Amino acid sequence: MSLNPLRIAVASDLHFVSENNVNDGDYHSWLSFQADKSFNNLFWKNLLEKIDADNITADILVCPGDITTHAEPIALKFAWEKLLELAKALDCKLLATATGNHDVKSRPSELNNVIRDLNQNDNLLENLKLLDPPYPFVDLNDTTQAHSNRVHYFGTDYLLYETDNYRVLIINSCSSHSADQKEYERGSVSESTMNWIKLDLQRINNKRKLGILICHHHPIQHSEHNLGSYDFMRGGTELLDMLNSNGRWIVIHGHKHHAKLNYYSSGSKKAVVFAAGTLSAHKHTLGADFTNQFYVLNVNTEKERGTPVGNVDVYSWQGSKWANSRRTCDGIYTGVGFGEPGCLDTIAENISRNVKGPVSVPWNVIVEKVPKLKECVPQDIKHIKEYLLEFNIDMNLTAETEIHSLERSID
């Protein structure tokens, strides 16, 4: 890892909800609030306290959409204020937010009075366009381009922002939403938007600069835990193929509420695909295999070729507090990463040389001796666990499912 990594904080699917305007707000989200903007719990306060106590910082705060619930305008405005508060608490330079299906008024509303209710503002994006500072991208140190960025995003359904070390691409995967159910149940990227993005990327000279794609819907299939396969991003695979032909990319999306870290390959070229778990959608709506999480991706800025390399710090809400999580049951946990670890069989063989006799060897010692483990996604760790059985080596977990140590069962 580089001495000065790019630190990307990720808070997805916040689902802020106004108790006065949405029934059963506490059921939907931990971020349920009253008319006076007071929360119903200590969730947000404890998150800010955790950031301060652990001195958690980041260069950019990414939110891949659904900052509110049912596109309720009061909660939308309040959520935007709180995202800015979070960005400042993290000492971020940038805030980048993709549009989620709960951020737009795409689902049809019932008319109680056919005539009078025609006065209702059902414009899909109007409430987002009215947010201040301009949505979806905020440079906390330079606001000169804020309005033109907003106009470009809502006019072309994307925004491309360049820094010295990386580029940020935000796509509005809800741009085709309408009252037609087959449209509002999925995401999309249009052919025209794809063509414009391609032209923009081809004009850029430095193809080695890291790219960060932020969108709400998943561009590759994500249907674990019976989450459904219908709500994908139409045109997503074509988009990723195009991006792989124009640089090195980390994709960050939300929507599914279930955390997953994987790759999309075009031949041997791989983009990192990070499905962020929900920050605050309530456990009542999730199930046993989900947990509320907040992330910081630490990306190697010195590596200019091949797959982006980095690791992830994971913070989970554990009912009454935020804690750094190494629990494998959370799906994504502190210590996993991404990159080019190479042959997993070879990694297992290298590990076996460091586990001699029946003596237990702490996992952190193994990781330091076999540093390629820091570039392994969670599924890689599962495969390595199986390969280690060939060497009669067991992976020991704590009661909290943290990887504790390795031990050879037969010498």
Side-chain angles (χ1 to χ4, degrees):
M1 181 59 64
S2 61
L3 295 176
N4 186 29
L6 172 66
R7 295 173 60 80
I8 307 170
V10 182
S12 185
D13 293 87
L14 287 78
H15 288 282
F16 275 83
V17 56
S18 170
E19 282 267 314
N20 286 22
N21 298 311
V22 176
N23 293 331
D24 300 322
D26 281 336
Y27 179 84
H28 292 288
S29 174
W30 289 101
L31 295 175
S32 174
F33 63 93
Q34 304 292 335
D36 63 357
K37 304 295 180 66
S38 62
F39 288 112
N40 295 344
N41 52 60
L42 297 176
F43 182 95
W44 188 259
K45 180 175 182 289
N46 285 358
L47 176 60
L48 296 179
E49 288 174 348
K50 180 65 174 176
I51 289 169
D52 182 60
D54 289 14
N55 192 29
I56 303 170
T57 61
D59 299 289
I60 175 173
L61 172 60
V62 168
C63 178
D66 277 1
I67 67 175
T68 188
T69 304
H70 303 332
E72 201 280 307
I74 292 176
L76 179 69
K77 184 177 179 181
F78 185 53
W80 187 235
E81 294 171 2
K82 288 300 182 182
L83 268 178
L84 286 162
E85 179 183 43
L86 182 59
K88 292 173 182 176
L90 290 161
D91 198 27
C92 292
K93 302 177 181 67
L94 306 173
L95 166 62
T97 306
T99 302
N101 56 294
H102 274 272
D103 302 327
V104 297
K105 298 187 69 172
S106 52
R107 283 170 169 75
S109 57
E110 294 184 5
L111 295 178
N112 297 317
N113 183 305
V114 175
I115 301 301
R116 292 178 182 177
D117 285 351
L118 291 176
N119 275 334
Q120 291 181 5
N121 177 16
D122 286 324
N123 184 291
L124 187 73
L125 300 168
E126 182 66 10
N127 290 326
L128 292 172
K129 294 176 181 178
L130 291 172
L131 291 177
D132 184 47
Y135 174 98
F137 185 86
V138 180
D139 184 329
L140 278 78
N141 296 323
D142 183 2
T143 60
T144 57
Q145 296 298 312
H147 177 64
S148 59
N149 286 340
R150 169 172 52 190
V151 171
H152 191 283
Y153 179 74
F154 288 113
T156 63
D157 301 324
Y158 80 96
L159 178 66
L160 182 63
Y161 184 88
E162 292 279 335
T163 76
D164 292 339
N165 300 317
Y166 59 93
R167 58 181 58 102
V168 177
L169 173 63
I170 308 173
I171 289 180
N172 181 4
S173 61
C174 299
S175 61
S176 296
H177 279 204
S178 68
D180 185 341
Q181 187 171 3
K182 72 175 184 294
E183 291 300 334
Y184 71 65
E185 290 287 4
R186 66 182 175 189
S188 66
V189 54
S190 68
E191 182 179 356
S192 58
T193 295
M194 197 111 61
N195 289 339
W196 294 333
I197 293 171
K198 184 177 180 180
L199 285 173
D200 267 355
L201 293 176
Q202 288 176 340
R203 293 190 189 103
I204 297 170
N205 293 323
N206 186 359
K207 301 294 185 183
R208 296 179 185 173
K209 187 185 293 187
L210 176 70
I212 304 165
L213 167 64
I214 306 165
C215 53
H216 184 61
H217 293 87
H218 43 300
I220 59 176
Q221 195 57 268
H222 188 138
S223 55
E224 288 88 339
H225 305 291
N226 298 314
L227 293 174
S229 58
Y230 57 86
D231 52 348
F232 58 92
M233 183 195 297
R234 182 178 55 191
T237 55
E238 294 84 354
L239 172 66
L240 294 185
D241 282 333
M242 184 267 287
L243 292 181
N244 268 345
S245 298
N246 290 276
R248 306 161 52 247
W249 291 87
I250 296 175
V251 179
I252 303 174
H253 73 81
H255 186 57
K256 301 302 282 189
H257 291 190
H258 169 250
K260 184 178 178 181
L261 183 58
N262 217 323
Y263 302 101
Y264 175 81
S265 297
S266 300
S268 298
K269 185 116 181 244
K270 294 190 298 183
V272 178
V273 180
F274 176 48
T278 174
L279 178 83
S280 44
H282 205 284
K283 287 287 285 185
H284 290 311
T285 64
L286 300 180
D289 295 315
F290 295 73
T291 189
N292 298 112
Q293 291 184 325
F294 169 76
Y295 313 91
V296 178
L297 279 61
N298 308 288
V299 186
N300 188 333
T301 55
E302 296 172 1
K303 187 176 186 292
E304 294 185 341
R305 298 176 185 272
T307 307
V309 170
N311 56 51
V312 189
D313 294 325
V314 181
Y315 302 88
S316 295
W317 176 246
Q318 298 181 1
S320 60
K321 65 176 182 178
W322 285 93
N324 189 298
S325 178
R326 296 182 179 273
R327 304 182 302 188
T328 59
C329 65
D330 287 345
I332 294 182
Y333 46 94
T334 295
V336 297
F338 47 88
E340 298 173 328
C343 176
L344 301 183
D345 300 63
T346 301
I347 291 177
E349 185 176 354
N350 291 340
I351 290 172
S352 71
R353 300 191 186 102
N354 293 284
V355 184
K356 299 176 181 178
V359 178
S360 177
V361 182
W363 178 245
N364 63 316
V365 172
I366 295 296
V367 172
E368 291 307 313
K369 291 185 177 181
V370 187
K372 280 295 180 180
L373 286 167
K374 299 176 184 178
E375 298 180 26
C376 288
V377 300
Q379 192 62 45
D380 291 338
I381 300 296
K382 291 181 180 179
H383 289 317
I384 289 170
K385 179 182 179 181
E386 296 299 319
Y387 293 144
L388 286 173
L389 294 177
E390 300 175 11
F391 299 95
N392 299 312
I393 294 175
D394 295 318
M395 183 177 289
N396 300 319
L397 304 183
T398 68
E400 292 292 312
T401 74
E402 296 181 6
I403 304 176
H404 177 264
S405 60
L406 299 180
E407 187 172 343
R408 192 183 294 270
S409 56
I410 301 174
D411 193 3

